[in-house]
């Protein structure tokens, strides 16, 4: 499996900085991924995971960072997001949409848009097949 593109970066847990950070992470992906629907899904996944890391993981502590690693190969994009929080212990199968809770909804969206979602303490790995 040849790596076509790799991005490694981090952003402080300041919500106002996340959009430009994610825009920079996405910039080079446009030359590798032509499918606009997949690009939209990737934007949503990145947004949900990095914002979750800043808000829920790092409790919006401006001294803490959320790191993002992207690894693109011929058949998939691997997204790794890590924060400096205590970690997440969430079972998406137990989420009840009728309760209208905000906590967990982002991970539910990410799970629906990815082909594999792995929650490992304060690291989330999402794999999107291309």
């Amino acid at each position: 499996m040849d790596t076509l593109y790799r991005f490694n970066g981090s952003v402080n847990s300041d919500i106002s900085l996340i959009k430009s950070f994610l825009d920079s992470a996405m910039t080079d992906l446009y030359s590798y991924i032509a499918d606009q629907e997949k690009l939209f899904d990737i934007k949503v996944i990145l947004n949900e995971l990095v914002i979750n890391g800043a808000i829920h993981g790092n409790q919006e502590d401006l001294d803490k960072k959320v790191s993002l690693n992207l690894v693109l190969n011929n058949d998939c994009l691997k997204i790794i997001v890590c924060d400096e929080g205590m970690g997440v212990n969430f079972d998406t199968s137990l989420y009840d949409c009728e309760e209208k809770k905000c906590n967990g909804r982002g991970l539910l969206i990410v799970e629906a848009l990815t082909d594999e979602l792995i929650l490992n303490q304060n690291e989330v790995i999402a794999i999107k097949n291309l």
Side-chain angles (χ1 to χ4, degrees):
M1 232 184 293
D2 291 334
T3 299
L4 302 174
Y5 172 71
R6 187 179 295 271
F7 175 88
N8 295 308
S10 62
V11 64
N12 288 69
S13 296
D14 182 341
I15 301 302
S16 68
L17 301 176
I18 291 176
K19 182 186 181 319
S20 63
F21 171 72
L22 293 179
D23 286 346
S24 70
M26 288 288 300
T27 299
D28 291 330
L29 285 179
Y30 295 111
S31 60
Y32 295 102
I33 303 171
D35 186 326
Q36 293 300 307
E37 286 184 34
K38 289 201 187 291
L39 284 168
F40 179 80
D41 290 354
I42 292 165
K43 282 185 200 180
V44 172
I45 293 165
L46 293 177
N47 193 59
E48 290 295 333
L49 291 180
V50 173
I51 287 177
N52 274 359
I55 293 174
H56 301 294
N58 292 342
Q59 303 294 306
E60 295 185 72
D61 182 337
L62 301 181
D63 294 325
K64 292 184 178 180
K65 294 183 181 284
V66 178
S67 68
L68 171 64
N69 296 306
L70 303 174
V71 180
L72 175 69
N73 60 44
N74 292 327
D75 60 351
C76 73
L77 175 67
K78 185 176 185 179
I79 301 164
I80 305 165
V81 177
C82 187
D83 60 53
E84 296 182 54
M86 299 295 291
V88 63
N89 183 13
F90 183 75
D91 184 350
T92 55
S93 68
L94 300 177
Y95 185 83
D96 183 357
C97 294
E98 292 181 14
E99 287 183 21
K100 299 179 183 170
K101 288 183 183 176
C102 289
N103 286 358
R105 192 170 54 210
L107 287 175
L108 207 62
I109 291 168
V110 170
E111 183 178 56
L113 295 175
T114 59
D115 296 287
E116 186 174 357
L117 181 64
I118 301 163
L119 305 177
N120 183 22
Q121 300 297 320
N122 64 333
E123 178 183 71
V124 178
I125 302 169
I127 298 173
K128 178 76 172 171
N129 290 336
L130 304 172

